[in-house]
Amino acid sequence: MGIVIGNLLATVALLLSSLAGAYYHIGFPIYSRAVWGIWGSQFTIWNRIFLTFDRYGFQAWVGGQCFYLILLSWDPQFESRIPNTIPADTGMTSAQFVSYVAFSALSLPFLWIRPHRLQRFFHVASAATVTFFLALLIWALATMGPAGFGSTIRSDRTIPPTGGPGSAAWLMAYGVMSTVGSIAAGILNQSDYARLATRPRDAIWGQALAYPLYCTFASVLGTLVVAATQNRFGGDAIWNPPALFVRLLQQDDGAGTRAAVFFSGLALVTSQLGINIPGNALAGGIDLSSTFPRYINIRRGAYLTALISPAVNPWRLVSTATVFLTVLSSYGVFLAPMTGLMAAAYIVVCRGKVKVDDLYRGDTGAIYWYSHGVNWRAPVAWLVGVVPCLPGFISHVNGSVKVTDGAVQLFYLNYLYGFLASAVVYALLHWAFPAPALDDFVRDATSARELQQHYRDRWDSEPSDTPVWSGKAGEPTAAASA
């Protein structure tokens, strides 16, 4: 139930974050200028840039583990045939590092392709992933044996239904927030992809229907597979698919098992490419191109993200996966308020109106210049959404830090609280201290629908001679809009 509720809440946040992109065809870094100010937006953009370095590196390492399966299927003794010269405290072996390098090299050609031309690959990746996991579920259930499911889907613990942070109700709340928080980064910059939709309803309905169904299906399927395979591994619950197939190969390295491991590795590699390229490489490229439009386009930014990502030592992140994944799923503490600001700005403050031309002006004549290029209301509202959750966040990451039950419970509601608190405070600050230029624009008789149609007509009648992908020097507006 927690997974379902979490995915439904994530879908709502996803749709709200997509509005500016769907209706005005502008991405996250560009619309952030309307929320934070021309220069103030750099805070959110750089937050996303550094996060993409971490996430790309981590996902590439996971992709390397999947490629490792392919190499093992060819030679089950692959690990022993490559002398390990890497210290044990790094959390990897030479053979695993080779697999990581191979997956990283395999990813590079995909970064050259323009985003809208990757759509067919994503269709193939999605179809292959769904087919593979359905086959995995059928195999796990069919070969489960008389021992049945493991303890994964049942618990012998007696948990009080209500009460403090350890009660079932509060643990359910935390599970819901963790579900949303695990994709908080993708929610924040969703307009980068919604802007590519031909019609707004394509972006809205495409996500509203597909996202909750697919994510809930994947979560339930994963839980069933782990439970169905737990007893065959001495009661160990293996949540990592590559680790599951390595264990199977250790039990039986016959031709049939090796073939199954090969196709499983192939499907998982395809899945990881489908996740890492749009979610991290292109996201980093878009953010970097908006920050340095004269020198970096999306393609260059994507390659730069891939080049820098090994600096985060993803192999160490995986070796401390429990802490890292806890931080990653809880990072919504910082990202939820940013998403709430964007929703409040578009729906309440701007009433669906965006003056796109002024998003590319860096002078006092732009309505989004605010005060010295910074909308002071945004950081104030953001802090209101972040600071109260920090004590619980710190104690959750570092168990030696003790805080009150109230602080822990507020942290358990971190995404919902941060989103709503920052959105409300941002709207109230704009109501109490309106920005004159923006207020005049919003009060203009032109409706949001008329304004959206105005920009659509302009874009249809004035095709650019220089593709935004080219990244020519001296084309800051085109590159930034990419």
Side-chain angles (χ1 to χ4, degrees), residues 296-321:
I296 299 177
N297 59 15
I298 300 177
R299 179 183 288 158
R300 295 171 189 167
Y303 278 114
L304 192 59
T305 300
L307 181 65
I308 295 175
S309 66
V312 305
N313 293 332
W315 40 89
R316 288 191 180 274
L317 296 179
V318 175
S319 65
T320 57

Side-chain angles (χ1 to χ4, degrees), residues 158-183:
T158 301
I159 303 175
T162 58
S167 66
W170 280 107
L171 291 176
M172 171 75 77
Y174 176 62
V176 170
M177 293 301 105
S178 295
T179 301
V180 184
S182 64
I183 61 152

Side-chain angles (χ1 to χ4, degrees), residues 260-329:
V261 170
F262 171 79
F263 287 110
S264 299
L266 187 62
L268 289 171
V269 165
T270 304
S271 171
Q272 291 307 307
L273 288 171
I275 294 171
N276 211 22
I277 291 170
N280 299 314
L282 294 182
I286 291 170
D287 292 340
L288 285 167
S289 69
S290 73
T291 306
F292 306 104
R294 188 175 295 274
Y295 308 104
I296 299 177
N297 59 15
I298 300 177
R299 179 183 288 158
R300 295 171 189 167
Y303 278 114
L304 192 59
T305 300
L307 181 65
I308 295 175
S309 66
V312 305
N313 293 332
W315 40 89
R316 288 191 180 274
L317 296 179
V318 175
S319 65
T320 57
T322 301
V323 175
F324 178 71
L325 293 177
T326 298
V327 173
L328 204 61
S329 63

Side-chain angles (χ1 to χ4, degrees), residues 108-132:
L108 296 180
F110 291 91
L111 307 185
W112 187 264
I113 305 173
R114 299 180 180 183
H116 64 279
R117 293 185 176 175
L118 283 168
Q119 187 175 23
R120 290 184 180 178
F121 167 72
F122 295 145
H123 288 162
V124 172
S126 298
T129 302
V130 171
T131 302
F132 163 71

Side-chain angles (χ1 to χ4, degrees), residues 188-253:
L188 181 65
N189 72 322
Q190 190 58 26
S191 58
D192 286 337
Y193 303 101
R195 72 184 182 88
L196 300 175
T198 304
R199 298 165 297 183
R201 67 173 178 268
D202 295 337
I204 303 301
W205 286 108
Q207 297 175 106
L209 298 176
Y211 180 81
L213 291 176
Y214 186 86
C215 289
T216 301
F217 161 77
S219 300
V220 173
L221 183 149
T223 303
L224 289 175
V225 168
V226 172
T229 58
Q230 186 174 0
N231 288 327
R232 75 183 66 189
F233 297 120
D236 292 337
I238 302 177
W239 290 94
N240 185 4
L244 172 66
F245 287 104
V246 169
R247 292 284 293 271
L248 287 173
L249 199 58
Q250 289 172 348
Q251 291 183 347
D252 176 16
D253 61 357

